[in-house]
Amino acid sequence: MIGLEVIERLALLALTSGFVMGERPISLIIAASRGSGKSDLLGQYRNFPGTAYRSYSTFASIMHELGPQIAAGTLHHLILPTIDVITEAPREKALAELAAFSVLIEEGLKEWTTMRIQFRSNVPRTVGLITSASEDTIHRLTELKAVGFLGRCVVVSYSYSEETLDAVAESITLGQTISPFSFNGIAPRAIESDPDVIRRYWGNPTLA
């Protein structure tokens, strides 16, 4: 996307971290003002290997749907277009949701049980979270004292310069379309068949 190449590279770095054995997947929050294209940016990665792209409802619903993949260790990252809706919930509910995500992305889940969900794994399973937040949401997270959650994520922010806004407007005027996401010509699905893609950015790790 125009002007967001650095952010795209950071997102790819976080996503490929899930394939490095013995390391927790990197979690990333992309912060910017409302209407600045954060959700569109993350939508580029919806088909990335080892990743699930879901609109947020509740942590329980995510566990209900994705629990088997998490228990099997095949899910490395969860992409939520935004976490704004979490902080808009009543304080106690917001804190409970954030606490659950904090465990998933840091300590890892081994057992999680509700009336409808029975999640068990032989070992704690960690899943990285990649999402976006408005500037208001970042302030709200601070007000909620959800520093534990924020401390588990890399938070990056961006804004558009006048030059970038002009370039975006020109591309729309010319009817240009953004090509499917690739990084240095490497499509996301190539990760599955070409471990060298990961080694290029992570040295020579043992791959999961």
Side-chain angles (χ1 to χ4, degrees):
M1 294 177 66
I2 297 173
L4 299 181
E5 292 82 4
V6 172
I7 303 296
E8 289 176 332
R9 292 189 182 196
L10 288 173
L12 183 67
L13 182 64
L15 286 165
T16 55
S17 71
F19 291 87
V20 180
M21 186 171 290
E23 297 293 336
R24 284 192 302 271
I26 293 173
S27 293
L28 178 69
I29 299 176
I30 299 172
S33 60
R34 297 180 187 273
S36 57
K38 302 183 297 297
S39 297
D40 290 338
L41 188 154
L42 292 179
Q44 298 177 115
Y45 308 97
R46 64 174 63 243
N47 295 318
F48 199 91
T51 296
Y53 180 96
R54 296 292 185 276
S55 295
Y56 171 78
S57 51
T58 64
F59 184 82
S61 67
I62 289 171
M63 290 301 300
H64 178 70
E65 180 184 0
L66 301 176
Q69 295 178 50
I70 296 173
T74 58
L75 184 66
H76 302 309
H77 275 95
L78 171 66
I79 299 178
L80 302 178
T82 178
I83 56 168
D84 290 353
V85 66
I86 297 179
T87 63
E88 293 168 357
R91 175 184 174 82
E92 293 305 317
K93 180 179 179 181
L95 288 174
E97 292 287 287
L98 293 170
F101 278 111
S102 293
V103 173
L104 181 63
I105 66 181
E106 182 74 11
E107 294 89 355
L109 279 181
K110 189 172 182 180
E111 184 173 343
W112 198 78
T113 305
T114 68
M115 293 181 64
R116 297 176 56 239
I117 304 168
Q118 299 286 330
F119 172 85
R120 289 184 176 84
S121 173
N122 294 329
V123 296
R125 296 294 187 183
T126 56
V127 176
L129 174 66
I130 297 183
T131 187
S132 74
S134 68
E135 295 167 336
D136 292 341
T137 292
I138 296 298
H139 291 310
R140 176 65 174 155
L141 288 170
T142 304
E143 292 173 356
L144 288 169
K145 302 190 185 311
V147 291
F149 173 75
L150 284 174
R152 288 166 167 78
C153 303
V154 176
V155 182
V156 298
S157 63
Y158 70 86
S159 60
Y160 290 112
S161 66
E162 290 298 327
E163 291 79 6
T164 300
L165 290 173
D166 289 342
V168 171
E170 182 178 359
S171 71
I172 294 172
T173 301
L174 295 175
Q176 296 175 350
T177 58
I178 300 173
S179 61
F181 172 76
S182 64
F183 183 66
N184 288 349
I186 302 167
R189 59 181 174 274
I191 296 290
E192 293 178 309
S193 58
D194 188 0
D196 289 337
V197 174
I198 301 172
R199 293 193 176 97
R200 183 179 305 177
Y201 305 108
W202 287 93
N204 192 30
T206 300
L207 302 183

